[in-house]
């Protein structure tokens, strides 16, 4: 079914039924009716209640089926046990969208969860969309209509907001009225039984009344869909999100480095980054950005002009800008000359512009206008401290006027102080100027807007490379391992899988006797490495399960026996399959490339500095698979070892393309085989440009059948 068509009806209904409408004040069914009427909704309103009669001057129907005309939206506020029946009736009636406010579903346990599954399948059967259950409702300020039990309706504006918490929305709504922040859509996601965040992101993306998308989520229903929806929208509109709560660790076993190093929230962070979504640290930061965006254009660069009447705040702001990736603009010589001519000699005419404690509104006016019209300036921060000669209110008015004259660049006010700033701040807010009490928050919000433009511009529509691979061989190995009732692959099996996907590995063979080890060593060529082969021993060096640099048959024989001895004495219960004989690889830069699986987002690829100190250095970065070559390159360059690989201090650069290839091939492997729940290559040696890489330790774990 086309959920987007359903959401169109949900956003702009011609008629609304309120199932559970009530005449009694204090009941949700009364609140919803009141909000609908008071929001100025112009379509038809049909209260539904078995008692019939009239509610708030609207004729009551006993059931949706008794309504003579079409019904686009039905809002459901009856007790949970009656909801399924009402939904079915709506389906029969041909209602296009339902808003189920009623609580008592998934949040109460198994029974509720089953009921939600029924809701979703009814929605599909009758081709209608369902918002909720357990939600506050929906508000569209441009329809206009308020089908929620909120107290009050938000101001009309350009922000589309969807929230997984209804209570949080009520707080924000109330606060936004005071702060004069306007919304286009206000959607409470509830339990997301049918419509979820991805559906609304896509709809907000298509909605011409919304230019900015804010989300509060605790989880996403479908990671891939979420990323696809965001990628579609980000080129046109910013998406800012607060994600709270810790996601389920799910199938993640902690035996591999990748599994233990990926925090429970890593996948979300990476997903947001990979699709250009900006993550705000908390609600305050989210709405700081919103308050700036609601009134201002996006900055076209990161060069900021600061205007102040005191030195200290100017320095604070400069520091905050530099810490947030904003640059202090270098004013043009014309601007500097103009300021020199018009400001007192003691004033600072370079950025920050300090018009001194005696600065009058006229001084501010000329500074702000000079900054706004300077081609080297992308946005302007106006700081004011209340000093003896300061005229706060008049200065506020000057800021408002300057913005009206030059609306193209962001202009943000920081009016520091208490009582004397209350009224000036009102003037600013009324005049559509975002205003803050302290510089850091203003700078942070501005920086976020700028960073959105950067992530938007760096999103590339690059295809995912497809390498030739022997999938049959991988299937066979995995099914053999399953037949052997194992989940951890032996070294020889894991290396064979990597090889089947074209990942260069040091050749490795399993020996079950010292005689066999010697003949394999002969075949591979000396020197060789011997490694314990046991699914119960993941970290081989820890138990003396590795002997490197063996040059003769005698050394191989001794090592073989010694490794078995070490294993048996330290882990007597481990099942030992033999000893792997591996060709010795030339030393290179040690890398780790791994994969763990996230419940929502799937394969999470890790790259970083490898070797035995991985857990201590934690020089690692993550991306979600599948990925394109730019993703792979950025993943590598996000680490410190990435910088070293480029070649520093006279060292020749490493074969970064070969490393990218290895990352991409692994990304393809784990995407093709969801059976692989964990993969660790540690180390892979990276060589000079043109000489490739070589994996010497590949570990793979497969999921339960
Ligand atoms: P584990 O990580 O289980 O302890 P590895 O197979 O990674 O065991 O081996 C430990 C270390 O031995 C590696 O970090 C690497 O430095 C070295 N090593 C292992 N195999 C080879 C090889 N084939 N060639 C060169 N060095 C190797
Ligand atoms: Mg290792």
């Amino acid at each position: 079914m086309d959920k987007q068509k359903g959401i169109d009806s949900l956003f702009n209904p011609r008629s609304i039924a309120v199932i559970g409408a009530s005449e009694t004040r204090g009941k949700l069914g009364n609140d919803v009716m009141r909000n609908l009427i008071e929001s100025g909704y112009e379509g038809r309103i049909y209260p539904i209640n078995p008692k019939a009669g009239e509610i708030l001057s609207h004729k009551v129907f006993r059931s949706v089926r008794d309504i003579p005309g079409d019904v686009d939206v039905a809002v459901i506020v009856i007790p949970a046990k009656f909801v399924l029946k009402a939904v079915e009736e709506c389906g029969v009636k041909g209602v296009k969208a339902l808003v189920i406010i009623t609580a008592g579903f998934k949040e109460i346990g198994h029974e509720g969860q089953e009921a939600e599954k029924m809701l979703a399948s009814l929605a599909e059967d009758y081709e209608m969309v369902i918002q909720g259950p357990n939600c506050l409702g929906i508000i569209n300020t441009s329809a206009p209509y308020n089908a929620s039990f909120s107290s009050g309706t938000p101001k009309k504006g350009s922000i589309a907001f969807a929230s997984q918490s209804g209570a949080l929305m009520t707080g924000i709504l109330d606060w936004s009225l005071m702060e004069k922040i306007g919304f286009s859509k206000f959607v409470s996601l509830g339990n997301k039984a049918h419509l979820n965040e991805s559906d609304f992101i896509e709809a907000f993306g298509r909605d011409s009344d919304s230019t900015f998308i804010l989300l509060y989520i605790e989880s996403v229903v479908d990671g891939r869909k979420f990323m696809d929806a965001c990628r579609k929208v980000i080129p046109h509109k910013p998406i800012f999100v607060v994600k709270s709560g810790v996601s389920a660790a799910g199938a993640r076993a902690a035996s591999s480095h990748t599994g233990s190093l990926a925090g429970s929230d890593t996948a979300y962070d990476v997903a947001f980054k990979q699709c250009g979504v900006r993550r705000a640290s908390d609600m305050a930061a989210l709405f700081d950005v919103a308050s700036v965006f609601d009134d201002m254009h996006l900055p076209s660069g990161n060069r900021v002009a600061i205007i102040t009447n005191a030195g200290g705040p100017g320095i604070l702001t400069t520091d905050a800008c530099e810490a947030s990736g904003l640059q202090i603009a270098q004013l043009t010589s014309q601007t500097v000359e103009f300021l020199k001519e018009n400001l007192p000699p003691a004033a600072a005419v370079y950025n920050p512009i300090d018009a001194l404690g005696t600065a009058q509104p006229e001084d501010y006016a000329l500074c702000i206008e000079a900054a706004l019209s300077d081609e080297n300036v992308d946005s302007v921060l106006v700081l004011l401290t209340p000093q003896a000669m300061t005229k706060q209110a008049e200065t506020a008015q000057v800021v408002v006027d300057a913005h009206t004259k030059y609306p193209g660049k962001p202009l943000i006010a920081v009016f520091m102080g208490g009582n004397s700033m209350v009224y000036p701040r009102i003037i600013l807010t009324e005049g559509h100027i975002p205003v803050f009490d302290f510089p850091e928050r203003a700078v942070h919000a501005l920086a976020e807007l700028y960073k959105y433009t950067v992530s938007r511009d760096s999103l590339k529509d690059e295809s995912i490379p497809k390498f030739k691979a022997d999938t049959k061989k991988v299937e066979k190995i995995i099914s053999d391992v399953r037949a052997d009732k194992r989940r951890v692959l032996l070294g020889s099996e894991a290396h064979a899988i990597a090889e089947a996907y074209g990942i260069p590995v040091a050749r490795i063979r399993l020996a079950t006797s010292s005689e066999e080890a010697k003949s394999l060593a002969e075949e591979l060529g000396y020197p060789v490495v011997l490694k314990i082969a046991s699914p119960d021993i993941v970290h081989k060096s820890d138990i003396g399960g590795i002997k490197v640099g063996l040059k003769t048959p005698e050394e191989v024989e001794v090592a073989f026996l010694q490794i078995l001895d070490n294993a048996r004495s330290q882990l007597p219960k481990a099942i030992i399959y033999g000893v792997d004989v591996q060709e010795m690889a030339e030393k290179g830069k040690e890398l780790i490339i791994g994969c763990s699986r996230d419940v929502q987002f799937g394969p999470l690829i890790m790259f970083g500095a490898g070797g035995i100190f991985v857990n201590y250095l934690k020089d690692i970065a993550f991306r979600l698979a599948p990925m394109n070559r730019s993703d792979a390159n950025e993943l590598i360059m996000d680490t410190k070892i990435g910088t070293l690989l480029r070649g520093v201090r006279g060292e020749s650069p490493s074969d970064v393309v070969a490393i990218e290839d290895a990352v991409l091939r692994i990304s393809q492997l784990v995407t093709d085989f969801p059976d692989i729940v964990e993969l660790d290559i540690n180390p892979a040696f990276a060589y000079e440009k043109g000489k490739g890489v070589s994996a010497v330790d590949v570990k793979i774990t497969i999921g339960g059948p």
Side-chain angles (χ1 to χ4, degrees):
M1 71 175 290
D2 185 357
K3 281 183 169 181
Q4 291 302 309
K5 233 175 100 192
I7 296 182
D8 287 343
S9 301
L10 179 63
F11 282 173
N12 288 298
R14 286 160 303 175
S15 51
I16 301 174
V18 180
I19 302 177
S22 167
E23 186 68 31
T24 318
R25 261 191 184 266
K27 285 202 165 178
L28 290 187
N30 184 265
D31 291 333
V32 173
M33 279 298 290
R34 246 171 231 292
N35 276 340
L36 260 184
I37 295 163
E38 282 165 18
S39 61
Y41 178 62
E42 285 170 351
R44 289 175 190 281
I45 301 174
Y46 302 114
I48 311 288
N49 191 307
K51 291 194 197 100
E54 265 196 0
I55 293 175
L56 300 170
S57 319
H58 288 267
K59 178 177 159 32
V60 175
F61 294 85
R62 284 178 203 281
S63 154
V64 271
R65 284 171 313 181
D66 302 338
I67 297 171
D70 286 343
V71 177
D72 282 349
V73 167
V75 185
I76 298 182
V77 270
I78 51 178
K81 59 178 186 246
F82 304 122
V83 167
L84 281 172
K85 184 165 169 282
V87 169
E88 180 123 41
E89 283 181 6
C90 288
V92 173
K93 170 74 186 166
V95 177
K96 299 192 183 78
L98 306 183
V99 181
I100 305 181
I101 288 177
T102 308
F105 287 85
K106 188 169 75 185
E107 73 278 15
I108 62 156
H110 179 73
E111 204 178 310
Q113 205 156 7
E114 290 303 307
E116 280 190 29
K117 279 192 197 138
M118 293 287 292
L119 286 179
S121 81
L122 283 172
E124 294 293 319
D125 290 349
Y126 289 105
E127 294 198 17
M128 50 187 180
V129 291
I130 296 180
Q131 178 193 340
N134 188 21
C135 75
L136 181 78
I138 182 167
I139 303 171
N140 176 358
T141 55
S142 53
Y145 97 95
N146 179 345
S148 79
F149 62 93
S150 66
S151 66
T153 295
K155 191 173 90 82
K156 193 171 162 175
S158 59
I159 299 167
F161 179 42
S163 167
Q164 200 169 336
S165 157
L168 190 78
M169 291 195 92
T170 59
I172 282 164
L173 198 164
D174 202 35
W175 167 88
S176 75
L177 292 173
M178 182 180 77
E179 295 286 318
K180 301 272 188 295
I181 291 177
F183 292 90
S184 53
K185 306 282 180 294
F186 214 71
V187 174
S188 165
L189 294 169
N191 291 3
K192 308 190 280 195
H194 188 233
L195 290 179
N196 58 51
E197 55 285 329
S198 307
D199 302 313
F200 282 106
I201 288 169
E202 199 176 329
F204 292 159
R206 294 184 303 113
D207 176 30
S208 58
D209 293 322
S210 307
T211 52
F212 188 60
I213 299 169
L214 294 190
L215 299 174
Y216 166 79
I217 50 172
E218 286 152 15
S219 63
V220 300
V221 172
D222 180 332
R224 277 286 138 199
K225 273 217 179 102
F226 174 83
M227 291 179 75
D228 289 345
C230 292
R231 274 188 161 268
K232 241 196 257 179
V233 172
I234 290 286
H236 321 286
K237 293 174 197 183
I239 303 176
F240 282 81
V241 45
V242 167
K243 151 80 180 68
S244 73
V246 177
S247 61
R252 199 184 290 130
S255 62
S256 74
H257 289 297
T258 308
S260 61
L261 285 168
S264 58
D265 209 39
T266 308
Y268 275 97
D269 251 348
V270 173
F272 295 150
K273 190 168 181 176
Q274 242 167 298
C275 60
V277 169
R278 296 293 310 166
R279 182 175 192 167
S281 51
D282 51 41
M283 291 308 287
L286 186 72
F287 279 91
D288 281 351
V289 180
S291 71
V292 174
F293 189 87
D294 193 31
D295 292 315
M296 293 292 157
H297 287 271
L298 287 166
S300 46
N302 68 344
R303 302 164 305 173
V304 183
I306 300 164
I307 297 158
T308 181
N309 66 344
I315 297 169
L316 268 178
T317 310
T318 304
D319 287 350
C321 282
E322 268 154 14
S324 324
L326 296 175
Q327 217 184 311
I328 304 304
Q330 183 159 15
L331 305 175
T332 61
S333 51
Q334 291 100 297
T335 305
V336 171
E337 281 314 312
F338 173 79
L339 293 174
K340 266 189 195 156
E341 279 164 29
N342 291 285
L343 291 177
V349 293
Y350 300 96
N351 203 5
I353 304 166
D354 186 351
L356 305 178
T358 51
Q360 292 303 292
E362 311 81 76
D363 299 321
Y364 264 91
L366 69 90
C367 292
I368 298 170
E369 290 193 22
L372 284 172
S373 52
D374 188 314
E375 65 195 26
N376 288 351
V377 172
D378 299 310
S379 42
V380 178
L381 286 166
V382 180
L383 317 180
L384 189 76
T385 54
Q387 304 191 39
M389 289 174 70
T390 306
K391 297 198 180 79
Q392 286 91 315
E394 289 87 336
T395 308
Q397 191 54 50
V398 152
V399 179
V400 172
D401 295 344
H403 176 56
T404 317
K405 215 159 146 191
Y406 299 93
K409 290 179 187 173
L411 174 60
I412 301 174
V414 179
F415 276 32
M416 300 173 72
N419 288 340
S420 81
M421 290 300 186
V422 173
Y423 177 59
R425 285 197 193 115
I426 293 172
I427 297 177
L428 289 163
T429 309
E430 293 285 342
H432 302 286
I433 303 291
V435 56
F436 295 86
D437 331 0
F438 293 103
E440 294 84 354
R441 281 177 55 192
V443 169
H444 184 76
L446 180 61
E448 277 301 315
L449 289 191
Y450 166 69
K451 284 174 188 164
Y452 155 68
T453 67
V454 174
S455 47
R456 175 195 63 191
D457 298 342
S458 68
L459 274 191
K460 289 175 208 82
D461 232 351
E462 202 180 305
S463 59
I464 311 268
K466 192 98 184 116
F467 297 94
K468 246 183 78 194
D470 189 350
T471 51
K472 287 271 168 320
K473 183 164 186 191
V474 178
E475 273 165 27
K476 169 90 173 59
I477 295 171
I478 291 179
S479 80
D480 287 352
V481 171
R482 285 211 190 286
D484 194 31
K485 301 215 167 13
R486 272 186 288 134
R487 291 185 52 200
V488 176
L489 274 64
L490 298 177
S492 48
E493 295 161 338
H495 282 75
I497 287 182
E499 248 182 325
Y501 267 70
I503 296 152
V505 299
R507 289 176 303 154
I508 191 167
R509 306 279 181 272
L510 178 65
T512 49
S513 66
S514 62
E515 282 312 308
E516 200 182 354
K518 281 187 276 186
S519 86
L520 285 172
E522 209 68 54
E523 186 190 320
L524 294 168
Y526 286 101
V528 292
V529 183
L530 259 57
K531 303 181 172 183
I532 187 73
S534 161
D536 301 321
I537 303 171
V538 192
H539 299 295
K540 302 175 288 291
S541 345
D542 293 352
I543 58 117
I546 303 255
K547 298 282 170 197
V548 298
L550 308 170
K551 293 184 214 73
T552 62
E554 292 71 36
E555 285 180 14
V556 168
E557 173 145 11
V558 173
F560 186 95
L561 298 173
Q562 183 127 52
I563 284 176
L564 288 184
D565 214 39
N566 289 347
R568 288 206 185 104
S569 63
Q570 293 196 48
L571 288 167
K573 290 210 183 105
I575 299 171
I576 290 162
Y577 280 63
V579 173
D580 284 323
V581 184
Q582 188 177 36
E583 64 184 353
M584 191 72 190
E586 212 183 300
K587 275 269 175 198
K589 291 227 156 55
E590 288 192 298
L591 309 177
I592 181 167
I593 310 172
C595 169
S596 63
R597 238 164 236 285
D598 183 79
V599 192
Q600 262 92 5
F601 293 96
L604 183 61
I605 306 286
M606 182 177 91
F607 172 85
I612 51 174
F613 299 123
V614 163
N615 286 309
Y616 301 92
L617 293 174
K618 290 207 170 85
D619 176 28
I620 45 170
F622 295 89
R623 286 294 183 283
L624 289 158
M627 63 175 107
N628 57 38
R629 192 166 286 274
S630 304
D631 290 330
N633 184 267
E634 284 166 23
L635 168 65
I636 295 165
M637 293 310 160
D638 267 3
T639 60
K640 296 196 185 94
I641 187 107
T643 313
L644 298 187
L645 293 170
R646 286 202 199 124
V648 293
R649 309 223 60 162
E651 249 188 11
S652 45
S654 300
D655 200 337
V656 175
V657 174
I659 303 168
E660 281 170 19
D661 275 338
V663 167
L664 290 168
R665 285 172 188 275
I666 288 166
S667 157
Q668 182 177 331
L669 166 66
V670 296
T671 307
D672 289 350
F673 289 93
D675 282 31
I676 299 176
V677 291
E678 279 195 291
L679 181 153
D680 251 359
I681 297 182
N682 183 30
F685 292 125
Y687 306 118
E688 272 174 38
K689 207 170 192 165
K691 301 219 168 124
V693 297
S694 177
V696 303
D697 180 22
V698 185
K699 297 178 170 117
I700 292 179
T701 306
I702 56 173

